[in-house]
Amino acid sequence: MAHEDMTQNISTKALPSEQGSATMIETTDMTHKITKKIVGYKVLTKDDVEPVKQEPEQPTLESMNENLARPEVLLGSTYKIKTPQSEHALYITINDMILNAGTAHEERRPYEIFINSKNMEHFQWVLALTRLISAVFRKGGDACFLVEEMKAVFDPHGGYFKKGGVFMPSLVAEIGYAIESHLKHIGMIKPEKMTDHQKNFLDEKRKEFEAQHGESEGQAFPEKAVLCNKCSTKAMVLMDGCMTCLNCGESKCG
């Protein structure tokens, strides 16, 4: 029984048998042209066909975006800022949303920010700033760029030194430092830690400097230290002909 073409719904495919003849196997995916003599066939049943292994569905992970509904309860942290430019402190509150709670992909991301103070002098621009920052937080993505942008804002009337010798170029910059502290706290910014060798080296340098110029008298850094351009801290001293920062380790000699 020979056939030139086969266009039925159930098509067959010839396979060689042990006697050299052809064995027909049912296929359902396409139609084949028969060019050899059909001497036998076999119909495959559902039991003969191996089931297709389905890959497990990957869980859909939540990411911060502006379409997420605000939950009833948010986790928050409040930071106090006290500047010599005002007798009243500022209180910065940053509320966070927990994404993918209870899973291995759980993460904490900032959702909104509020700034409160008894000083109403800066109320207008502070309110506008908090709304803009909150909008950036809710937009999603990497919001860490806000920190560097705010820390680079300088007050035309001059900045001020905080306790410990840290220089603040403006009130906006100090708000930026507070946001940076929070982002480090929740893990969005990975702090650069000095090695034990670097810490021991800076401790030795400080002891040598104080032995020559006197004790710091309870101050964070020696009184004769100058401002470090890298960490904005009054902690850079001259040791062995090289300016070295006792806070971050910055050295003019590399």
Side-chain angles (χ1 to χ4, degrees), residues 156-177:
H157 299 292
Y160 52 90
F161 282 95
K162 290 178 61 66
K163 185 177 181 181
V166 179
F167 178 73
M168 286 295 164
S170 66
L171 179 58
V172 175
E174 187 157 6
I175 296 174
Y177 275 98

Side-chain angles (χ1 to χ4, degrees), residues 82-105:
K82 185 68 174 70
T83 74
Q85 298 178 342
S86 174
E87 60 177 332
H88 299 293
L90 274 76
Y91 296 90
I92 303 174
T93 299
I94 304 176
N95 292 329
D96 304 318
M97 179 179 287
I98 305 299
L99 302 177
N100 308 300
T103 69
H105 303 282

